[in-house]
Amino acid sequence: MGVTLTETAARHIAVNLNKRGRGIGLRLGVRTSGCSGLAYKLEYADDVRPEDHRFESHGITVVVDPKSLPYLEGTELDFAREGLNEGFKFNNPNVKDACGCGESFNV
């Protein structure tokens, strides 16, 4: 199943990788944080480590470390603009509860 991107998210990442001038894709993970326990972690991926899981979606590579994958399996990453706000949206089927501010979640 893995991790996928919407076409909108893939386009946004491709544009920013091009502006950045380097990188192989997006690294997605989770970290302990917030009132619900876990928070998403996003950064550009410049390499793939031997233990990493690698997924291709709409021409973009998504890299996930093995500790994060159980929390992210089946997640679709979208990018949305709503008025003056824009950002990534996580459609994660594993989430059981999220904090009111939307910064953290638990599974």
Side-chain angles (χ1 to χ4, degrees), residues 38-59:
L38 297 170
Y40 296 107
K41 180 173 62 169
L42 284 171
E43 59 190 15
Y44 293 107
D46 292 323
D47 60 3
V48 178
R49 299 174 196 122
E51 68 275 9
D52 286 337
H53 297 273
R54 183 178 180 157
F55 306 99
E56 297 291 325
S57 186
H58 298 287

Side-chain angles (χ1 to χ4, degrees), residues 21-84:
R22 69 181 198 285
I24 62 157
L26 185 73
R27 181 174 293 278
L28 176 59
V30 296
R31 61 184 168 81
T32 303
S33 179
C35 51
S36 289
L38 297 170
Y40 296 107
K41 180 173 62 169
L42 284 171
E43 59 190 15
Y44 293 107
D46 292 323
D47 60 3
V48 178
R49 299 174 196 122
E51 68 275 9
D52 286 337
H53 297 273
R54 183 178 180 157
F55 306 99
E56 297 291 325
S57 186
H58 298 287
I60 299 294
T61 299
V62 180
V63 180
V64 180
D65 67 88
K67 289 183 180 178
S68 296
L69 186 58
Y71 303 106
L72 298 172
E73 187 71 42
T75 296
E76 178 188 60
L77 184 60
D78 192 11
F79 186 80
R81 288 188 174 96
E82 296 172 358
L84 298 176

